[in-house]
Each structure stands twice: as C-alpha cells, then as structure tokens.
C-alpha cells in the first residue's frame, strides 16, 4: 500500500490544471512510495471551484485559502495563485508544517522571497518552486551533458522567451484574466514572468549569475484597469533585454518580450562551449540540437537528437523509443521527483532558496534597467 498524501490546491486556473493533471497521472507512470490524493481545491469563485472539484475529482472546495492551511488532513499545499498572494500562503503553510509546492516566480521581489525562505527553513518543511522547464527531458539532458564535461569550458549562454499577446492597447490590466499586466499582482512584467524561467534554467546549467546590465521598455504606458474601470499607468516591463556575467567566466545574453509578433511562447536557449554547443527550442521541446567539435570533420555538423530513448532523462517512464511527450509531462516529472525525495527526506530543486537566487537576478535586472548601469547580483 502506498502512503496517501493529501493535496490542497490553491488556484484552479492554468497552473491549477497542470498540477492537478500531474497528481492524477504520476502514480500511473512512476513507481513511488506516495500516492497524492486530491483533497481540497480553493479559488476565488465558488461556482468555478465547485466545477473544478467535480471535473478533477477533488473531495471538497473552498474560496478561503486559510481553510486549506487549517485542514489537518492536508499534507501538501500547492500554490497556483497570482504572484502577490504566494508569500502569505506559503508562510502560513510553512508555519502549519505543510510540504509546499509554489508556482514561480517565488515572490514579488527578493525581499519578500527572503521571508518565504526563512519561513520554510525555520519550519523545516519540504519546499519546491515550479520552474518546470528544467524537467523537459531535453533540457535535463543538456544539464547532464554539461555536467559530464561534454561542452568543456562554457563561453556563452543565450536565451529568449518571446510572446506577442499584449500588443493591442485594448488588452486591460488587472482582474483575473490580466493580472500579469498589473504590477501590484505580478511584481514585474516579462522579467518575473518569463525571464525567471530562463534565469532558473541558465543558473542550473551554468552556475550563478554575478552581474547584469539591462534595458526594459513599457510600450503601452496606460491601460484600462479591470478593477477600477479607469485608464491607469502600466507599471510592468513589456520587454527586457539583459547582458550578464556568470561566476564561471562565461557571458550571458537574455531577451524577453510580449511584443514579438508571431511568437506565442518561444523559449529558446543556446550554450557554446570549447568542445561542443547545445541549442533547444520549446516549440520542438523533445529535440536537443548538439554540435560536437570532436566529430570527424567530414560529417561534423549540428545534429538533432530526438530525446525519446529509454536511457534519456525520464523517458523510460513513458512510451517506447521514438514516441515523444510534451509540456504537461514536465509537471508530472516535477511531482514525481518531489514525492520520491519526500520519501528519502531529501530536498528537491529548485527549492525556495534556489528560487531566491533567481529572484535576486530579476531584482538586479530591474534595478539595472532603472539606473542604466551594471548591477551586482546579491548572493542567496
Ligand atoms: N510554471 C509555469 O510555466 C507557469 C505558467 C503559468 C503561470 N505560472 C505561475 O502560476 C501562478 C498562477 O498563474 P495562472 O496562470 O495559473 O493564473 P490563473 O489566472 O489562470 O489562475 C489564478 C487562480 O488563482 C485564484 N486566486 C487568485 N487570488 C486568490 C486568492 N486570494 N485566494 C485563493 N485563490 C486565488 C483564482 O481564483 C484562479 O483560480 C502565477 O504565479 C504564475 O506566474 C507558472
């Protein structure tokens, strides 16, 4: 018999669905000592919370997140709400002794993230931040190749995350559908929303980022606010580009925008080392592009590795070689790793402290853009 772990999910939107799907599937594919049970779901609208509970099989629902924390039956609190609500829920959950999975970015800024790290470390509760792209098999394979020294010394890391959904001036800010455009709810624009993913993956692959030089732009400076009905100044960054230095001496180049017409979610990275290079593209997520300088020169070139063989990360848990998996599986992998480590009393990365390091880079990026000069990144 597997030990049951009761999940209290807070937020039934986009991420609430990906996390619920992961809890439902994980035991079918991974042999784990624990079985997650969908205990209670919480969200702002009662009808929607009820419908979500029925659709996904949660045993109960509520519109008050405090009830999830107070529920002695809940073992894992899973935070899938807008960024400005993460801290108070996570701190309360830590005090109640719950294991916590929190969506990214961890907090609105580094100072707030510090209070969350202190809360989970003081309470000694397991904690995880949902930077799920680490768990795309091709992205994990890139990490393994780097750790094996296949790239040698790394010179360059460049990453982009491009979207185009806020170009219209008619898109409002605030409210449930467009909280990402309201600085009070989101903390920042593309820096915390999109670049945080790129920064997390980059530091996992290539070590700490020590200094940054950034520029940001807010192309649409006023938008109607859903809650007030008034046209109000926009406080988020619509686009951000930054250069950085890594602790290992390599150089980084990052760009994110919601104004790249034609791109919906184009997350790409390329890493250039002395012996080899790697490139990856979210739109073709099961492939890893790899160039190995040690290949015989007459056949040397970029190869496209189809990351589906059973000796590749996570792939022995899915279908047969040649058959690929997709976006939702990254969340299944995340839950599987979290539950496996829980059983072994081991931490799972990225934890709150890892996410604090990402938050410090985001802070330094925004400060650099404001001050128009290089900024040193605080150490976590
Ligand atoms: N890992 C990823 O790739 C990824 C992708 C999208 C979003 N996110 C993150 O996930 C979080 C949620 O984003 P989303 O896209 O799922 O948002 P969403 O707007 O789809 O859903 C937000 C949910 O939060 C609930 N909510 C809001 N305030 C609440 C409160 N005070 N109490 C209880 N419930 C509340 C709403 O009812 C809704 O169900 C954000 O932090 C976001 O940055 C991460």
């Amino acid at each position: 018999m597997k030990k049951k772990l009761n999940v209290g999910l807070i937020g039934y939107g986009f991420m609430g669905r990906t996390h619920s799907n992961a809890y439902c599937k994980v035991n079918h594919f991974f042999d784990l000592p624990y079985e997650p049970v969908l205990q209670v779901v919480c969200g702002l609208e009662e009808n929607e919370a009820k419908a979500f509970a029925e659709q996904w099989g949660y045993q109960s629902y509520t519109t008050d997140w405090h009830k999830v924390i107070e529920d002695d039956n809940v073992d894992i609190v899973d935070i899938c709400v807008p960024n400005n609500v993460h801290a108070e829920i996570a701190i309360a959950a830590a005090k109640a002794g719950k294991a916590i999975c929190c969506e990214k970015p961890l907090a609105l800024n580094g100072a707030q993230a510090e209070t969350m790290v202190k809360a989970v470390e003081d309470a000694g509760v397991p904690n995880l931040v949902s930077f799920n792209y680490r768990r795309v098999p091709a992205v994990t394979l890139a990490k393994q190749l780097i750790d094996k020294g296949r790239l040698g010394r790394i010179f360059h890391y460049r990453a982009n995350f491009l979207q185009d959904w806020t170009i219209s001036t008619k898109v409002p800010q605030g409210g449930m559908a467009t909280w990402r455009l309201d600085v009070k709810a989101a903390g920042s624009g593309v820096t915390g929303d999109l670049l945080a993913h790129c920064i997390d993956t980059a530091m996992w692959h290539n070590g700490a980022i020590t200094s940054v030089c950034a520029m940001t732009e807010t192309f649409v400076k006023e938008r109607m606010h859903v809650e007030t009905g008034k046209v109000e100044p926009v406080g988020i960054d619509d686009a951000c580009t930054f250069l950085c230095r890594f602790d290992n001496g390599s150089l980084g180049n990052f760009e994110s925008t919601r104004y790249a017409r034609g791109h919906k979610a184009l997350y790409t990275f390329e890493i250039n080392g002395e012996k080899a290079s790697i490139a990856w593209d979210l739109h073709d997520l099961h492939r890893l592009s790899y160039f190995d300088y040690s290949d015989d020169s007459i056949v040397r070139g970029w190869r496209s590795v189809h990351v589906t063989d059973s000796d590749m990360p996570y792939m022995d848990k899915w279908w047969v070689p040649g058959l690929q998996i997709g976006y939702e599986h990254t969340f299944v992998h995340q839950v599987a790793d979290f539950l496996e480590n829980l059983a072994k009393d081991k931490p799972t990365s990225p934890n709150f402290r890892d996410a604090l390091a990402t938050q410090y880079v985001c802070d330094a990026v925004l400060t650099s853009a404001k001050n128009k000069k290089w900024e040193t990144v605080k150490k976590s």
Side-chain angles (χ1 to χ4, degrees):
M1 281 289 283
K2 292 180 191 298
K3 184 175 178 320
K4 293 189 190 306
L5 279 181
N6 295 326
V7 177
L9 177 77
I10 308 177
Y12 50 65
F14 174 23
M15 282 303 109
R17 293 167 65 227
T18 61
H19 290 215
S20 299
N21 179 54
Y23 291 123
C24 290
K25 286 203 176 133
V26 71
N27 287 114
H28 295 304
F29 294 93
F30 288 76
D31 185 15
L32 297 165
Y34 288 121
E35 180 188 341
V37 176
L38 303 182
Q39 174 82 13
V40 52
V41 61
C42 170
L44 288 181
E45 301 295 332
E46 184 164 358
N47 287 346
E48 292 176 7
K50 181 171 185 285
F52 191 92
E54 282 166 7
Q55 185 165 5
W56 287 94
Y58 281 86
Q59 292 171 14
S60 61
Y61 61 90
T62 175
T63 54
D64 179 2
W65 62 260
H66 298 89
K67 295 216 170 98
V68 178
I69 309 289
E70 287 157 14
D71 187 338
D72 289 337
N73 289 320
V74 168
D75 301 300
I76 301 176
V77 171
D78 192 329
I79 304 171
C80 293
V81 292
N83 309 343
N84 61 328
V85 206
H86 291 184
E88 56 178 336
I89 298 178
I91 291 168
K95 285 189 179 145
K98 313 287 189 192
I100 306 170
C101 172
C102 184
E103 260 306 332
K104 52 53 61 180
L106 181 58
L108 295 175
N109 51 51
Q112 192 181 54
E114 284 168 10
T115 64
M116 298 166 77
V117 171
K118 182 168 183 338
V120 292
E121 290 183 355
D122 283 355
V125 293
N127 55 94
L128 165 75
V129 180
S130 178
F131 282 111
N132 57 300
Y133 292 112
R134 285 190 185 201
R135 291 180 164 87
V136 174
V139 176
T140 312
L141 180 62
K143 164 77 171 159
Q144 292 177 354
L145 293 172
I146 293 166
D147 287 353
K148 281 183 183 150
R150 297 283 285 260
L151 272 68
R153 180 180 168 193
I154 290 176
F155 300 117
H156 295 286
Y157 195 107
R158 59 185 78 80
N160 289 336
F161 206 139
L162 312 179
Q163 299 185 335
D164 72 352
W165 64 281
T166 63
I167 294 177
S168 168
T169 55
K170 294 195 177 72
V171 176
Q173 58 173 313
M176 263 307 101
T178 45
W179 61 263
R180 281 178 176 75
L181 279 73
D182 177 2
V183 73
K184 291 193 288 303
S188 67
V190 294
T191 299
D193 195 35
L194 305 178
L195 282 174
H197 275 301
C198 305
I199 294 164
D200 172 74
T201 314
M203 292 203 292
W204 186 51
H205 282 154
N206 195 37
I209 291 174
T210 52
S211 59
V212 299
C213 180
M215 64 176 174
T216 58
E217 184 53 74
T218 304
F219 294 117
V220 178
K221 305 221 181 306
E222 292 184 322
R223 291 184 187 272
M224 204 271 286
H225 199 292
V226 173
E227 280 148 35
T228 64
K230 292 185 189 146
V231 174
E232 295 185 13
V234 173
I236 58 152
D237 43 304
D238 286 337
C240 176
T241 302
F242 75 90
L243 306 176
C244 69
R245 288 187 179 277
F246 287 84
D247 201 31
N248 65 4
S250 59
L251 305 182
N253 192 341
F254 292 72
E255 183 190 5
S256 186
T257 178
R258 294 180 181 138
Y259 289 70
R261 183 62 89 199
H263 293 304
K264 302 298 167 198
L266 187 69
Y267 176 12
T268 55
F269 63 72
E270 181 169 314
I271 314 166
N272 308 124
E274 62 180 326
K275 297 184 195 163
S277 288
I278 281 174
W280 176 79
D281 174 349
L282 175 57
H283 287 188
D284 213 4
L285 84 177
H286 50 278
R287 288 192 174 273
L288 194 69
S289 297
Y290 184 64
F291 178 97
D292 190 339
Y293 186 65
S294 70
D295 285 347
D296 184 346
S297 65
I298 58 165
V299 290
R300 188 191 294 145
W302 281 91
R303 62 183 95 149
S304 176
V305 182
H306 197 226
V307 186
T308 62
D309 273 352
S310 56
D311 54 354
M312 290 162 161
Y314 300 107
M315 291 311 298
D316 60 326
K317 303 293 187 298
W318 296 100
W319 315 117
V320 296
L323 301 186
Q324 65 224 28
I325 58 169
Y327 174 72
E328 70 271 27
H329 302 84
T330 62
F331 297 94
V332 181
H333 300 161
Q334 178 169 280
V335 170
D337 289 343
F338 195 41
L339 297 186
E340 193 166 331
N341 288 331
L342 272 181
K344 294 178 184 155
D345 212 12
K346 277 173 55 182
T348 305
S349 290
N351 61 16
F352 277 28
R353 186 162 282 284
D354 299 321
L356 174 63
T358 294
Q359 203 82 52
Y360 283 153
V361 177
C362 291
D363 281 6
V365 162
L366 295 169
T367 306
S368 164
K370 196 168 148 218
N371 296 343
K372 298 188 170 64
K373 63 181 185 65
W374 280 87
E375 289 291 331
T376 301
V377 177
K378 201 170 163 183
K379 286 195 176 135
S380 69

